[in-house]
Amino acid sequence: MIEVRTKGVASIAPVKAAVLQGLNGGGRGPFVASDLRDTNRSLFAALTVQKWISGAILGLIVLIAAFNIVASLVLLVTEKRRDLGVLLALGATPRQIQRLFEYQGLRIGAVGTAWGLGVALPFCWIADRYKLIKLPSAVYDFITYVPFRLGILDLALVAVFPLLVAWLASRYPARRASHVDPVDALRAE
C-alpha cells in the first residue's frame, strides 16, 4: 500500500490519475487507487444530509422572519391608516406610499442582516482560528475540527438574500397601504 497526500481536495483526482498511470505503466495494470472520498463515502453522505437539513432549518427561520415582517407592516398600515389618508389627501401618490413601506421593510431586513453578520463573522473567525469545535479523531480520521471558511460569494449571498426576502415580504403590506382610500381613512377616525 502506498499513501499519497495532496495539498487540497481539488487536486485529489489529477494526482490519483497520475499515480495510477505511473504505477500501471500507462495501461490497465493490477494497481487500484482509492481516495478519502471513496473510503469515507458514508461520512460524506451523512455530512451532505446534515447540510441539507441545516439549510432547510435556516430556510424555515427566514420564512418565519418574513412572516414577522409582513405582520408588523400590516399592523403598521392598520395603525397609520388615518395618517396615510392625510398624506394621500395632501397629494402623496399611491406609489410614494408603497415605496415608503417597502423602504421600511428593507430597513428591518438591513438591521437584522447587520446584526446577524456582526455576530456571525467574529464567531466564525474565532471558531476557525482557535479550532473551538473539535471532532473525535476516532470517528473523523482526517478532520480534527470543524473549519469555518467564508468566501466572498458566501458573504454576498448571506447579505443579499435576507434583504431580498425583507423586500418581498414588505410588498403585500406596501400595496395594501397604497390602496387606502383617503376619504374612508379620514372618516373612520
Side-chain angles (χ1 to χ4, degrees), residues 82-118:
R82 185 175 196 291
D83 297 333
L84 292 172
V86 169
L87 286 173
L88 288 166
L90 291 174
T93 65
R95 181 70 190 135
Q96 290 172 326
I97 299 294
Q98 184 173 345
R99 260 189 271 142
L100 180 73
F101 279 88
E102 287 174 358
Y103 289 149
Q104 182 65 24
L106 277 174
R107 209 173 298 131
I108 292 169
V111 168
T113 301
W115 270 96
L117 287 174

Side-chain angles (χ1 to χ4, degrees), residues 16-27:
K16 183 178 175 181
V19 167
L20 276 176
Q21 182 151 359
L23 290 174
N24 290 326

